[in-house]
Amino acid sequence: MTLAKIPLAGVIGSPIAHSKSPQVHGHWLKTYGIQGHYIPMDVAAADLEQVIRSLPRMGFVGVNVTIPHKEAVMHIADLVTDRAILIGASNTLIFRKDGKIHADNTDGYGFLENLKTGAPNWQPKSGPAAILGAGGAARAVIASLLDAGVPEIFISNRTRVRAEKLVSDFGNRLRVFDWVQAGNMLDDAALVVNTTSLGMVGKGELRVPLDGLSKDSVVTDLVYAPLKTNLLATAEEIGCTTVDGLGMLLHQAVPGFERWFGKRPEVDRATRAAALR
Ligand code: NAP
């Protein structure tokens, strides 16, 4: 009798010690009684391709990819989904049985699921979304919001040209505001999203004036350390519905886990607690 191979998955980045993904996937493997392992792997850029190509032979069914390899893996993969191409980055690789490597991006899915769960009354058609930042995470957020049917997206970024590049890539439902005038774009926004790293422990504070924020807006932050950023605390005081960034991290992990281990995991309180341990 041949025993079935124990499926392996993991997360590749550098550094990787801070990643919460091993706790999240480890929690689901245990909860669902799945024989499998999820391993953090610190891989240098020079070794990336060789490492990825050898993983399937060792029993890996796929991996998550994080900073700084999210763009580079797209050149290694045999198939890249349209949304990963549009976003310009991949965070999830699936090693198919036919030997092909399939690259996808689940950040936009994670963002939207977290928003729908945390702010069930928010509707894509409620009104414009205001996005602070224009980095990789902003691209995933914008792709998911446009796909969901948000009518208009305002963007402001310290480096304006990066925001303008988003308009040329995503089209004329986007409008750029100067970083010094970022506060102005909040007045009419039904949704406000911080996709900059500002507000995170060890980074600077987000200094965008929030006086224009209406209590009817939903405010969400991709930063989840701390869980309640100053942006979320202020928005809460104004009376806005707020959604923290941890849920996005948890929800983006769902499609990968399902593809690799054959079970769609639930994002619940125990999952959050596992990530915070
Ligand atoms: P990124 O590509 O490096 O982009 C960083 C963004 O932050 C850029 O818009 C950058 O503006 C802005 N920024 C950085 N320092 C700034 C400063 N001092 N003043 C003004 N703007 C500043 O990073 P990313 O991948 O988009 O990630 C952004 C944040 O989202 C990170 O905190 C990351 O941890 C978080 N994130 C969370 C999740 C989740 O699951 N919750 C998922 C993905 C990312 P410039 O263009 O001017 O440099």
Side-chain angles (χ1 to χ4, degrees):
M1 186 182 83
T2 21
L3 289 175
K5 262 192 186 167
I6 291 179
L8 304 177
V11 55
I12 294 183
S14 191
I16 204 61
H18 66 284
S19 173
K20 291 184 183 302
S21 296
Q23 282 139 266
V24 173
H25 287 269
H27 163 75
W28 284 333
L29 287 167
K30 201 164 155 215
T31 303
Y32 301 116
I34 296 169
Q35 267 212 326
H37 298 281
Y38 185 100
I39 301 149
M41 290 171 275
D42 193 329
V43 177
D47 300 327
L48 186 66
E49 178 153 10
Q50 206 184 356
V51 167
I52 288 181
R53 297 222 178 270
S54 33
L55 288 174
R57 278 177 263 148
M58 298 194 292
F60 277 80
V61 287
V63 283
N64 285 128
V65 182
T66 187
I67 292 166
H69 304 315
K70 283 181 164 192
E71 289 88 18
V73 292
M74 308 233 308
H75 304 293
I76 298 170
D78 303 294
L79 297 142
V80 182
T81 61
D82 288 347
R83 70 182 150 217
I85 292 171
L86 188 63
I87 294 165
S90 165
N91 68 343
T92 306
L93 298 182
I94 293 138
F95 302 147
R96 298 187 348 177
K97 289 211 172 76
D98 63 6
K100 295 227 180 327
I101 298 173
H102 182 149
D104 197 2
N105 191 311
T106 65
D107 274 339
Y109 165 84
F111 168 75
L112 213 54
E113 283 304 300
N114 185 40
L115 185 61
K116 286 190 215 158
T117 313
N121 291 331
W122 174 81
Q123 296 293 329
K125 301 261 182 310
S126 310
I131 314 282
L132 299 159
R139 295 184 72 91
V141 166
I142 289 167
S144 71
L145 290 176
L146 289 175
D147 202 36
V150 168
E152 208 180 356
I153 296 183
F154 306 147
I155 330 160
S156 188
N157 192 51
R158 175 181 60 178
T159 312
R160 187 181 163 110
V161 62
R162 242 179 143 185
E164 282 164 354
K165 174 81 173 65
L166 293 178
V167 180
S168 66
D169 289 353
F170 288 93
N172 58 8
R173 270 199 274 164
L174 272 61
R175 204 169 112 202
V176 177
F177 283 66
D178 267 340
W179 185 237
V180 286
Q181 281 163 358
N184 295 351
M185 70 178 186
L186 309 184
D187 301 8
D188 301 319
L191 173 69
V192 175
V193 189
N194 175 38
T195 75
T196 74
S197 43
L198 295 174
M200 191 198 287
V201 180
K203 306 272 173 181
E205 268 311 322
L206 184 68
R207 305 244 175 254
V208 172
L210 302 175
D211 3 339
L213 202 57
S214 140
K215 67 169 181 36
D216 299 324
S217 301
V218 172
V219 180
T220 183
D221 203 325
L222 266 51
V223 170
Y224 54 82
L227 268 183
K228 192 186 281 189
T229 57
N230 283 346
L231 168 67
L232 294 184
T234 308
E236 208 174 273
E237 279 166 26
I238 293 170
C240 304
T241 302
T242 61
V243 183
D244 71 48
L246 184 64
M248 172 174 171
L249 179 85
L250 305 179
H251 283 284
Q252 65 76 29
V254 168
F257 189 92
E258 184 178 21
R259 288 293 294 270
W260 304 326
F261 300 115
K263 164 84 193 164
R264 189 164 187 84
E266 205 182 322
V267 174
D268 54 11
R269 291 168 79 97
T271 316
R272 267 180 86 86
L276 293 171
R277 263 201 291 276

